[in-house]
């Protein structure tokens, strides 16, 4: 309980420090009987020239005497009066001052009518009125939220913008604290900042606060600046806060940052994906680009039939064919996690190398079936989290190359990351498409390579060739895996008369075309040799045959190689 009022000095910074006030009094006869020192200072009239004089005759211009006498009579009859009074500092001079006077009737000890007069410097008063009007205009018309906190950190005043945002009239918030309109954690930050500004005088600029606006579900973000207010003497009298809603600006900044990130990802994908003709390496490169820049974990599944060189394995059109997981990457766990769909008869996450199928009605099967990306939002079901305890949003994106779905890539984000949106989906489709073309190229290369290898191996002598009277040893060893399939060959041909022909040839180039040319030349050599021709004749005839192999440059190059 506060104690009883006591006499004490007021702190500096009151209204009297801003305006100049003086006083004097009129006796029953209408003459000045008291003249304060402040009146002498403010009006510039010494007390000896004022006391005992009729104020109208002494200080009011002659043209206003009649009005002045009438007003003094009314005042001495007990009427209050307030107004502007021109005055002159020297008797007989021109009016050189203007005072606003408040006149209050009074009585002396004999009960006679008198008056107490209070004078205010009009210039100071008009300055205060102008400042108040300007302050009111700024405070009331500001497009930003404007609040004033007292030294007890309670609201003294808020403007209409603040009240419009949080609802209710502005007067509703008088005496409130930040905890009355902000979430607890944000209110604690705000209160700590207010106390720091009040104690230190150091302003806080662009402090970010997040909260909900009544009637809206989305969170808003405000940028708040705080600064300490001072009285005329410099003592702190409170803290002012300016708040601007930057939700739209933050959203635009986030979208711009996402656009820059997406462009950088596409540039990186173009530079890295497709540098290898190995299926697994291409899939792993795709995930290296996506994790963690785009998502927190990802996986790539390819159709098992395509990996086995089947042209169109059954079930590809409806998404029910077997898939093999060829790559997995995660920024949150080394082990695979459950994502959008659980394969049939599988209780554990899919490991790399595992062959599986997705349920027909699952989002992943739908993506494979329709060749359209599927967004799978995280939501709780009766049996537990649909996407597991960590993952909350997944994109199932089919890998489409030359109008054919070759597999599926899943991009997932964990709780705490933003869910996937439309722009994310477009980026994911682009990444998957680039990787799909490269994977399909690698698949086609692998198929041609294997066919050429089979053809080449079928044309070479099986095992160690045998010939009567000779011990023959041979070894066929490519220089690198890239040149494993080419036009090099050797042969051992038994001739009449217990003779044996040894042949070594080289067709320029590699791949299936070179292997076919090698087979044609090998057959020609065998045929010519069995005609019992001399080696020079065989080579001469072979040269003519080589000239006619193929109708393009490759055939001509092959001929030159055979002739040599």
């Amino acid at each position: 309980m506060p104690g009883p009022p006591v006499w004490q000095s007021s702190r500096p910074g009151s209204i009297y420090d801003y305006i100049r006030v003086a006083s004097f009094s009129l006796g029953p006869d209408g003459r000045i009987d008291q003249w304060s020192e402040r009146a002498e200072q403010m009006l510039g009239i010494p007390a000896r020239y004022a006391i005992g004089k009729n104020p109208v005759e002494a200080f009011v211009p002659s043209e206003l005497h009649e009005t002045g006498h009438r007003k003094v009579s009314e005042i001495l009859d007990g009427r209050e009066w307030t107004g502007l009074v021109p005055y002159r500092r020297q008797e007989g001079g021109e009016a050189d001052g203007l005072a606003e006077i408040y006149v209050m009737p009074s009585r002396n000890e004999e009960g006679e009518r008198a008056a107490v007069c209070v004078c205010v410097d009009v210039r100071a008063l008009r300055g205060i009125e102008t400042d108040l009007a300007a302050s009111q205009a700024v405070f009331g018309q500001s497009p930003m939220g404007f609040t004033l906190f007292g030294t007890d950190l309670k609201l003294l005043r808020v403007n209409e913008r603040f009240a419009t945002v949080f609802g209710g009239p502005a007067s509703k918030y008088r005496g409130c604290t930040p905890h009355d309109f902000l979430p607890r954690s944000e209110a604690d930050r705000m209160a700590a900042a207010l106390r720091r500004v009040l104690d230190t005088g150091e302003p806080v600029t662009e402090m970010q606060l997040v909260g909900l606006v009544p009637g809206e579900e989305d969170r808003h973000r405000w940028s708040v600046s705080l600064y300490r207010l001072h009285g005329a003497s410099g003592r702190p009298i409170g803290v002012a806060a300016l708040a601007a809603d930057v939700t739209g600006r933050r959203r635009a900044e986030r979208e711009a940052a996402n656009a820059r990130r997406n462009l950088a990802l596409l540039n990186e994908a173009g530079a890295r994906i497709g540098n290898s003709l190995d299926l697994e390496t291409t899939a792993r490169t795709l995930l290296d680009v996506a994790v963690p820049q785009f998502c927190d974990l990802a996986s790539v599944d390819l159709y098992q039939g395509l990996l086995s060189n089947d042209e169109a394995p059954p079930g590809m059109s409806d998404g029910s064919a077997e898939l093999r997981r060829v790559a997995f990457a995660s920024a949150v766990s080394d082990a695979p996690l459950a994502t959008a769909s659980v394969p049939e008869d599988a209780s554990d996450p899919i490991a790399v190398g595992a062959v599986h199928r997705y349920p027909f009605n699952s989002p992943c099967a739908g993506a494979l079936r329709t060749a359209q990306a599927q967004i799978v939002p995280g939501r709780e079901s009766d049996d537990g989290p649909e996407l597991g305890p960590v993952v909350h949003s997944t994109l199932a994106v089919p890998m489409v190359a030359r109008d054919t779905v070759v597999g599926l890539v899943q991009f997932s984000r964990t709780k705490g990351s933003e869910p996937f949106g439309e722009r994310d989906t477009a980026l994911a489709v682009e990444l998957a498409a680039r990787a799909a073309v490269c994977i399909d190229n690698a698949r086609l290369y692998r198929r041609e390579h294997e066919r050429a290898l089979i053809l080449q191996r079928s044309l070479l002598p099986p095992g160690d060739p045998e010939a009567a009277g000779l011990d023959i040893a041979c070894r066929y060893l490519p220089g690198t895996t890239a040149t494993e399939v080419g036009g090099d060959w050797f042969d051992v041909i038994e001739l009449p008369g217990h003779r044996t022909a040894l042949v070594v040839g080289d067709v320029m180039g590699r791949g299936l075309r070179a292997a076919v040319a090698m087979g044609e030349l090998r057959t020609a050599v065998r045929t010519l040799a069995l005609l019992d021709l001399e080696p020079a004749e065989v080579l001469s005839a072979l040269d003519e045959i080589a000239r006619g192999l193929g109708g393009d440059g490759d055939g001509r190059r092959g001929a030159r190689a055979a002739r040599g």
Side-chain angles (χ1 to χ4, degrees):
M1 292 293 291
V6 296
W7 285 87
Q8 61 181 5
S9 299
S10 297
R11 292 182 177 180
S14 66
I15 189 64
Y16 299 106
D17 292 322
Y18 294 93
I19 61 175
R20 300 174 64 191
V21 180
S23 64
F24 62 92
S25 62
L26 302 179
D29 57 358
R31 295 180 178 274
I32 299 172
D33 59 3
Q34 292 190 61
W35 189 258
S36 68
E37 293 182 358
R38 180 67 70 88
E40 182 175 337
Q41 296 170 1
M42 189 177 74
L43 301 177
I45 301 173
R48 65 180 180 273
Y49 294 145
I51 294 177
K53 291 186 177 180
N54 184 318
V56 176
E57 299 291 339
F59 309 122
V60 176
S62 57
E63 64 271 15
L64 299 176
H65 280 184
E66 182 179 352
T67 302
H69 287 305
R70 185 171 64 252
K71 291 298 181 182
V72 171
S73 298
E74 292 174 356
I75 292 166
L76 294 178
D77 286 340
R79 295 179 60 182
E80 293 187 357
W81 182 81
T82 303
L84 293 175
V85 177
Y87 68 91
R88 60 192 181 191
R89 290 181 173 84
Q90 295 182 355
E91 190 173 352
E94 297 290 336
D96 55 2
L98 184 67
E100 185 161 356
I101 301 180
Y102 302 85
V103 181
M104 297 164 285
S106 63
R107 293 182 183 274
N108 61 15
E109 59 184 5
E110 286 82 16
E112 296 175 310
R113 290 284 186 181
V116 175
C117 305
V118 177
C119 250
V120 178
D121 188 334
V122 173
R123 291 172 300 175
L125 190 62
R126 293 296 174 264
I128 291 175
E129 290 177 348
T130 301
D131 292 344
L132 287 175
S135 299
Q136 181 61 34
V138 172
F139 192 87
Q141 299 173 22
S142 172
M144 298 188 296
F146 202 155
T147 62
L148 298 178
F149 289 88
T151 55
D152 57 357
L153 302 187
K154 292 183 179 180
L155 281 170
L156 298 175
R157 191 178 178 186
V158 303
N159 68 345
E160 290 299 327
R161 174 59 180 166
F162 179 95
T164 300
V165 170
F166 289 99
S171 58
K172 165 187 173 182
Y173 295 94
R174 184 180 295 273
C176 292
T177 68
H179 291 82
D180 295 314
F181 53 88
L182 288 175
R184 182 174 179 179
S185 59
E186 299 295 87
D188 289 342
R189 291 179 56 227
M190 178 74 168
L194 286 169
R195 174 56 61 187
R196 185 167 62 252
V197 171
L198 188 63
D199 291 343
T200 66
E202 296 181 1
V204 170
T205 59
E206 297 186 356
M207 180 175 69
Q208 301 294 310
L209 294 175
V210 178
L212 291 174
V213 171
E216 297 186 21
E217 296 182 357
D218 295 334
R219 296 190 305 171
H220 280 241
R221 182 180 293 272
W222 296 279
S223 176
V224 181
S225 297
L226 308 174
Y227 58 94
R228 190 168 70 181
L229 299 176
H230 301 87
S233 64
R235 69 180 180 89
I237 60 174
V239 177
L242 285 172
D245 193 328
V246 295
T247 306
R249 186 177 72 188
R250 290 284 296 180
R251 185 181 297 113
E253 291 175 351
R254 186 166 57 250
E255 290 179 355
N258 289 339
R260 289 192 296 269
R261 181 204 63 185
N262 293 351
L263 181 60
L265 278 175
L266 289 176
N267 289 336
E268 184 179 2
R272 297 180 58 184
I273 298 175
N275 290 334
S276 171
L277 288 174
D278 181 75
L279 294 172
E280 288 78 6
T281 300
T282 301
R284 286 194 297 270
T285 303
L286 168 63
L287 301 192
D288 290 341
V289 171
V291 180
Q293 292 90 342
F294 177 67
C295 60
D296 298 312
L297 60 156
S299 62
V300 175
D301 298 320
L302 299 179
Y303 277 119
Q304 176 71 359
L306 293 179
L307 294 173
S308 302
N309 287 329
D310 293 340
E311 290 295 335
M316 277 185 60
S317 61
D318 61 9
S320 63
E322 287 185 337
L323 298 112
R324 185 197 303 171
R325 177 144 298 177
V326 296
F328 171 81
S330 173
V332 296
S333 172
D334 294 333
L337 298 174
T339 52
S341 299
V342 179
E344 296 175 349
D345 304 327
S347 57
D348 297 326
I350 309 168
V352 174
V355 178
H356 62 90
R357 286 188 175 92
Y358 286 111
F360 183 82
N361 293 325
S362 67
C364 290
L368 291 168
R369 192 164 49 248
T370 63
Q372 299 293 323
Q374 303 283 332
I375 296 181
V376 187
R379 57 181 183 271
E380 300 292 329
S381 64
D382 295 337
D383 299 329
E386 182 179 343
L387 301 182
V390 176
V391 177
H392 83 103
S393 184
T394 290
L395 271 175
V397 185
M399 305 180 74
V400 184
R402 301 175 180 89
D403 298 326
T404 301
V405 178
V406 299
L408 182 80
V409 57
Q410 294 183 64
F411 303 100
S412 299
R413 288 178 179 174
T414 57
K415 294 178 179 178
S417 301
E418 292 186 4
F420 290 109
E422 292 183 2
R423 293 190 178 184
D424 295 323
T425 304
L427 175 62
V429 169
E430 177 66 20
L431 290 174
R434 293 190 180 195
V437 171
C438 296
I439 286 175
D440 196 50
N441 288 340
R443 179 183 67 84
L444 295 175
Y445 170 79
R446 177 182 289 184
R447 184 180 64 185
E448 180 180 348
H449 181 81
E450 289 178 352
R451 289 178 178 178
L453 187 62
I454 292 173
L455 176 61
Q456 184 187 47
R457 290 289 184 260
S458 67
L459 295 176
L460 293 175
D464 291 331
E466 297 179 357
L470 295 176
D471 292 330
I472 301 175
C474 62
R475 185 181 185 188
Y476 189 91
L477 184 64
T480 64
T481 56
T483 59
E484 184 175 354
V485 178
D488 303 332
W489 90 92
F490 68 93
D491 204 354
V492 178
I493 306 171
E494 293 190 33
L495 302 175
H498 303 287
R499 292 177 301 161
T500 302
L502 302 179
V503 182
V504 177
D506 178 19
V507 177
M508 293 181 65
R510 63 175 66 95
L512 187 60
R513 185 185 298 273
V516 171
M518 179 198 78
E520 293 177 342
L521 292 175
R522 178 176 180 268
T523 301
V525 169
R526 275 185 166 269
T527 301
L528 293 170
L530 291 175
L531 293 177
D532 201 18
L533 300 175
E534 292 295 325
E537 295 176 318
V538 171
L539 290 177
S540 178
L542 185 63
D543 183 64
E544 295 296 329
I545 294 173
R547 290 177 184 274
L549 287 180
D552 55 11
D554 289 340
R556 290 189 292 271
R557 286 194 299 271
R560 289 194 296 272
R563 186 169 60 250

